[in-house]
């Protein structure tokens, strides 16, 4: 009989699920697959059966447990408030400990983080080669560090460059890790490599403490959530760029002057919204852009739909369905622009073929602010 001690410790939490089925209406994976074992209730039942040794771990079982995007939407609607994402994370740790998981493609992502320093497996480069001469003019040290994240730096460096320009023109004192960034490591924890994450985060935190940093501001919401909630206790304050932009706007250090006569929806990413509770700050920023009309998606704020970014590898087909639903929603409410403050959400939404059939344009909050503060001559149109 196989023992699952970590899972067994959560048995009382597992049996709190009384199978009401409310999660069926909120689980984006179930909406794609339409099979009970692909939603929160089904996964909890599978893990209860695993703990009771009534089911074996097969490839199909792994797919059910690893296709969960840990978006937490089911937890918003769960009457007894079962900690579904926490149970799934512990189950993944158990499966990793027994060398039964994760899927092979995600094992490669682990190697990328631990051996190369970023989840994409891109060759590490100094930030000047990625972002240009703006890096050379930054101070060698500052109490304030701007942290871009893997997806931003290696897939959409213009987002990071725009952010740095906005802050420079606002007179904000900051620097970056000029020699190059290391991944925050949050994905390690999500896929079950908790021991690797604990070691990795301690090492990263030690390097950051050596630089005398008082505050880290991240562009990526997952980096924000990971540094703020998952790293060991620290003296460093963690912010997301929406916090910093809002502060600078209130202080009159950035001015939104370029008008944009458009109807805009904001997509709440899971790690900025449900994980961290930053719902109003990005909306305040959008509403201050002259000429804009902020409208809400039919599923927004706490009930916002996940784009599927955390399961893009290896479940790209499901990810695409999840992102398409968000764009369809934006189109139905008549939005001209869908704005996101998450580079990963941007990547997944921008990658969908459905954009060819609607008039919605996908942009980042950085690009909107860059335009209205006149750092950008025009908003890039992603169609």
């Amino acid at each position: 009989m196989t023992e699952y001690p970590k899972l067994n410790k959560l048995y009382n939490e597992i049996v709190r699920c009384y199978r009401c089925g409310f999660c069926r209406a909120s689980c984006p994976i179930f909406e794609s697959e339409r099979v009970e074992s692909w939603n929160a209730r089904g996964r909890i039942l599978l893990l209860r059966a695993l703990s009771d040794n009534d089911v074996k771990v097969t490839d199909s079982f792994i797919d059910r447990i690893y296709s969960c995007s840990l978006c937490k939407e089911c937890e918003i609607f769960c009457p007894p408030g079962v900690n579904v994402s926490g149970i799934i994370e512990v189950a993944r740790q158990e499966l990793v400990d027994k060398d039964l998981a994760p899927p092979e493609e995600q094992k490669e992502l682990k190697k990328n983080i631990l051996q190369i320093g970023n989840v994409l497996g891109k060759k590490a480069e100094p930030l000047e080669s990625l972002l240009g001469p703006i890096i050379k003019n930054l101070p060698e040290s500052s109490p304030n560090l701007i942290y871009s994240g893997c997806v931003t730096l290696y897939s959409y460096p213009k987002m990071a460059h725009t952010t740095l320009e906005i802050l420079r023109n606002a007179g904000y004192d900051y620097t970056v890790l000029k020699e190059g960034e290391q991944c925050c490591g949050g994905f390690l924890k999500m896929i079950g490599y908790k021991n690797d994450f604990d070691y990795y985060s301690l090492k990263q935190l030690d390097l950051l403490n050596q630089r005398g940093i008082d505050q880290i501001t991240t562009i990526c919401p997952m980096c924000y959530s990971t540094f703020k909630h998952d790293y060991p206790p620290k003296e460093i304050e963690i912010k997301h760029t929406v916090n910093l932009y809002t502060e600078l706007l209130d202080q009159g250090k950035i001015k939104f002057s370029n008008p944009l006569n458009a109807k805009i929806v904001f997509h709440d990413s899971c790690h900025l919204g449900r994980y961290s509770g930053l719902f109003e700050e990005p909306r305040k920023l959008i509403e201050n852009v002259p000429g804009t009309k902020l409208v809400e998606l039919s599923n927004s704020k706490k009930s916002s739909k996940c784009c599927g970014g955390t399961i893009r590898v290896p479940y790209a087909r499901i990810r695409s369905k999840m992102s398409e639903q968000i764009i369809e929603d934006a189109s139905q409410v008549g939005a001209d622009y869908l704005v996101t403050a998450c580079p990963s959400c941007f990547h997944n939404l921008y990658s969908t073929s459905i954009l060819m059939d609607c008039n919605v344009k996908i942009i980042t909050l950085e690009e909107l602010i860059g335009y209205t503060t006149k750092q950008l001559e025009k908003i890039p149109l992603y169609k």
Side-chain angles (χ1 to χ4, degrees):
M1 185 173 69
T2 306
E3 293 292 331
Y4 296 95
K6 292 179 180 177
L7 201 57
N8 292 341
K9 286 182 180 180
L10 288 178
Y11 197 79
N12 287 339
E13 183 69 15
I14 290 171
V15 298
R16 288 180 63 230
C17 171
Y18 53 70
R19 302 183 294 282
C20 67
F22 272 66
C23 54
R24 287 168 63 98
S26 59
C27 178
I29 314 299
F30 177 72
E31 205 157 329
S32 167
E33 301 305 285
R34 312 305 295 179
V35 175
E36 184 68 21
S37 58
W38 294 85
N39 70 23
R41 178 171 66 175
R43 293 187 180 97
I44 294 296
L45 287 171
L46 283 172
L47 292 175
R48 180 174 179 173
L50 183 67
S51 185
D52 291 336
N53 269 278
D54 290 336
V55 68
K56 293 183 178 180
V57 176
T58 63
D59 289 344
S60 179
F61 183 97
I62 294 297
D63 281 340
R64 269 51 172 188
I65 303 307
Y66 274 86
S67 62
C68 175
S69 64
L70 300 180
C71 72
K72 288 182 176 286
E73 188 180 353
C74 59
E75 296 173 18
I76 299 298
F77 297 98
C78 178
V82 176
N83 182 10
V84 177
S85 59
I87 293 170
I88 295 293
E89 281 202 8
V90 169
R92 290 175 178 178
Q93 293 169 28
E94 198 87 89
L95 294 168
V96 164
D97 288 348
K98 291 178 169 48
D99 200 26
L100 298 170
E104 288 299 322
E105 297 91 336
Q106 291 188 355
K107 290 179 182 178
E108 287 300 313
L109 300 183
K110 174 205 172 187
K111 290 180 183 178
N112 290 343
I113 295 171
L114 296 180
Q115 296 178 12
I116 303 175
N118 64 79
V119 73
L120 302 174
K122 301 284 187 179
K123 181 182 177 182
E125 296 185 54
L127 263 59
E128 186 177 351
S129 66
L130 295 168
L131 304 180
I134 188 174
I135 301 301
K136 186 182 295 185
N137 297 323
L138 294 176
E140 292 302 318
S141 63
S142 168
N144 305 311
L145 178 75
I146 304 301
Y147 191 93
S148 297
C150 305
V151 175
T152 310
L153 281 179
Y154 291 100
S155 295
Y156 304 104
K158 286 185 179 179
M159 294 180 193
H161 188 273
T162 299
T163 296
L164 300 186
E165 287 283 11
I166 293 168
L167 298 178
R168 184 180 68 171
N169 282 280
Y172 183 69
D173 174 27
Y174 71 91
T175 191
V176 297
L177 299 174
K178 293 187 178 184
E179 67 278 12
E181 288 184 2
Q182 294 288 306
C183 178
C184 70
F187 196 71
L188 292 171
K189 179 174 175 287
M190 290 189 76
I191 62 175
Y193 290 105
K194 179 67 164 54
N195 292 336
D196 290 289
F197 172 77
D198 289 344
Y199 173 78
Y200 183 89
S201 61
L202 283 171
K203 186 177 176 182
Q204 290 295 96
L205 187 57
D206 183 54
L207 291 172
L208 293 169
N209 283 329
Q210 289 177 22
R211 301 181 71 98
I213 296 165
D214 295 329
Q215 177 180 290
I216 299 174
T217 301
T218 76
I219 297 175
C220 170
M222 186 172 177
C223 292
Y224 170 76
S225 177
T226 300
F227 282 138
K228 191 173 183 68
H229 304 301
D230 298 326
Y231 267 51
K234 53 199 168 298
E235 298 299 323
I236 301 173
E237 183 181 7
I238 308 299
K239 290 185 178 181
H240 186 266
T241 46
V242 298
N243 301 117
L244 186 53
Y245 292 146
T246 303
E247 290 172 7
L248 294 173
L249 180 67
D250 289 342
Q251 294 166 6
K253 294 182 178 179
I254 57 175
K255 299 184 184 299
F256 292 3
S257 53
N258 247 6
L260 181 66
N261 297 313
K263 188 181 288 188
I264 290 179
V265 293
F266 179 74
H267 169 61
D268 298 277
S269 73
C270 302
H271 282 87
L272 195 63
R274 282 183 290 270
Y275 274 71
S276 304
L278 295 178
F279 295 109
E280 299 308 321
E281 291 84 348
R283 288 170 170 79
K284 177 180 178 178
L285 292 166
I286 292 170
E287 288 178 320
N288 272 275
V289 177
T292 61
K293 180 181 180 181
L294 178 66
V295 295
E296 294 291 348
L297 295 165
S298 60
N299 294 285
S300 65
K301 298 186 178 179
K302 287 186 177 180
S303 63
S304 176
K305 292 298 179 184
C306 176
C307 74
T310 55
I311 61 168
R312 181 178 64 84
V313 178
Y315 306 104
R317 176 186 58 83
I318 299 176
R319 179 284 311 260
S320 294
K321 287 186 178 181
M322 294 165 69
S323 289
E324 286 170 3
Q325 183 186 33
I326 297 167
I327 295 169
E328 286 176 350
D329 192 358
S331 182
Q332 287 170 6
V333 300
D336 300 303
Y337 293 94
L338 190 159
V339 176
T340 175
C342 174
S344 292
C345 288
F346 172 81
H347 175 79
N348 292 294
L349 295 167
Y350 173 48
S351 299
T352 59
S353 58
I354 196 174
L355 276 179
M356 300 171 62
D357 301 319
C358 62
N359 294 319
V360 179
K361 306 169 188 70
I362 313 297
I363 63 171
T364 66
L365 188 63
E366 285 76 19
E367 290 163 341
L368 178 63
I369 294 174
Y371 172 78
T372 195
T373 56
K374 299 184 178 181
Q375 307 306 312
L376 297 175
E377 292 184 6
K378 61 182 182 179
I379 294 179
L381 300 182
Y382 299 100
K383 284 286 292 174

